Amino acid sequence: MADRPLTLMAVHAHPDDEATGTGGVLARYAAEGVRTVLVTCTDGSCGDGPGGVKPGEPGHDPVAVASLRRRELEASCDVLKVSDLEMLDYPDSGMMGWPGNDAPGSFWQTPVQEAAARLAELIRHYRPDVVVTYDENGFYGHPDHIQAHRITMAALEMTTLTPKVYWTTMPRSAMRQFGEVMREFGEDMPEPDPAEAAALAEIGLPDDEITTWVDTTGFSGQKFDALAAHASQGENIFFLKMGKERFGELMGMETFVRVQDSTGAAIPENDLFAGLR
């Protein structure tokens, strides 16, 4: 390992996901001299267009949206000091149930083994010591997040490498706190129907099932600025409404579940690289 730096690879679905779920660890480990590699699987073309125009509405140009979101992603990576950005550039599939789910060539329609083979090449090239992606449900059920999980786990099987592997998560205690904060900031949220409420209650994990708690408080300002770089999606990024100070108070801990490890590092742990340095 002396001839190369420790390397973290985060595999995300869309531009802006890197900041929401892993902005803190990307910034923290970059500051510690770790090589940080971000793989973004889709082009984000189902995001909002200028003026908040939604997909399917007059004036929404997926090609222009994808181009804008790439520039925003590059700006976010500059803020987080990401060493290497790789884009697989699959067309964004949209939320579950959207027409884009069925569009030929969309990420959701791409055979897992096909996309995984491309990711496996990147894994072989960068030889990450730590890989981070989503759980089987893509954290909250977005098809592109689910697909990112699937191709990451399949790509790892295609290689002979044995990095530590983590899935992003949130402690249920924090999920309850976020609900309170959203009400505090005046979010006019209708009461979800019982099925939706039950699904929301399943997001995240009980605190005692989380294996890894990484303190990124000192980098919360960078995380906020990285989110703010995705200005075209500001309507969808609730966290920006908090302001930087409150954001730092609430978003200073990033949590994960360790699902693959060959180091024997004890859990719970407070460092994705525990056992590697």
Side-chain angles (χ1 to χ4, degrees):
M1 207 175 289
D3 61 343
R4 65 180 184 86
L6 287 170
T7 301
L8 165 66
M9 176 181 282
V11 183
H12 282 291
H14 311 98
D16 78 25
D17 291 331
E18 80 292 337
T20 306
T22 56
V25 292
L26 287 169
R28 170 181 161 168
Y29 289 120
E32 293 179 4
V34 172
R35 185 178 197 179
T36 51
V37 180
L38 171 63
V39 180
T40 301
C41 296
T42 80
D43 60 7
S45 55
C46 285
D48 289 357
V53 63
K54 307 296 182 186
E57 293 180 350
H60 187 278
D61 180 350
V63 174
V65 170
S67 177
L68 172 60
R69 297 197 71 186
R70 184 184 187 105
R71 294 194 298 274
E72 292 177 337
L73 177 61
E74 290 169 349
S76 171
C77 287
D78 284 345
V79 170
L80 298 173
K81 309 302 182 187
V82 168
S83 308
D84 300 89
L85 170 63
E86 298 282 356
M87 294 193 71
L88 300 186
D89 262 338
Y90 289 104
D92 191 341
S93 312
M95 300 291 284
M96 193 67 80
W98 285 17
N101 296 178
D102 301 318
S106 70
F107 190 39
W108 186 237
Q109 288 296 318
T110 300
V112 168
Q113 294 300 304
E114 178 184 315
R118 293 181 62 195
L119 181 58
E121 283 302 306
L122 294 175
I123 292 172
R124 293 186 190 102
H125 174 71
Y126 288 106
R127 301 182 66 83
D129 302 282
V130 172
V131 174
V132 175
T133 191
Y134 315 103
D135 63 17
E136 303 100 318
N137 191 46
F139 183 61
Y140 70 100
H142 193 297
D144 287 333
H145 290 230
I146 294 170
Q147 187 78 329
H149 161 85
R150 290 173 177 171
I151 75 160
T152 302
M153 302 313 290
L156 288 163
E157 289 185 6
M158 292 177 180
T159 75
T160 58
L161 303 175
T162 57
K164 297 179 78 177
V165 179
Y166 293 88
W167 297 342
T168 58
T169 191
M170 287 286 289
R172 294 264 169 85
S173 59
M175 294 300 296
R176 289 190 293 272
Q177 187 179 20
F178 283 138
E180 295 167 2
V181 171
M182 291 177 84
R183 286 188 290 275
E184 173 189 339
F185 280 87
E187 284 292 290
D188 186 17
M189 299 178 65
E191 284 294 320
D193 63 42
E196 192 176 42
L200 288 171
E202 292 302 311
I203 292 177
L205 288 173
D207 293 32
D208 61 1
E209 293 182 20
I210 292 172
T211 64
T212 311
W213 304 70
V214 183
D215 184 356
T216 62
T217 305
F219 302 91
S220 58
Q222 278 176 263
K223 182 173 178 173
F224 184 93
D225 290 342
L227 276 170
H230 296 280
S232 68
Q233 308 306 304
E235 182 181 326
N236 302 317
I237 303 176
F238 160 75
F239 302 113
L240 295 176
K241 299 177 183 179
M242 298 181 186
K244 188 174 287 188
E245 183 176 348
R246 190 65 189 280
F247 179 88
E249 294 171 2
L250 294 170
M251 301 293 287
M253 186 71 70
E254 292 186 350
T255 50
F256 306 87
V257 174
R258 192 175 82 190
V259 295
Q260 179 175 299
D261 172 64
S262 60
T263 70
I267 53 175
E269 59 187 2
N270 60 11
D271 179 8
L272 297 178
F273 291 88
L276 292 168
R277 56 182 178 178

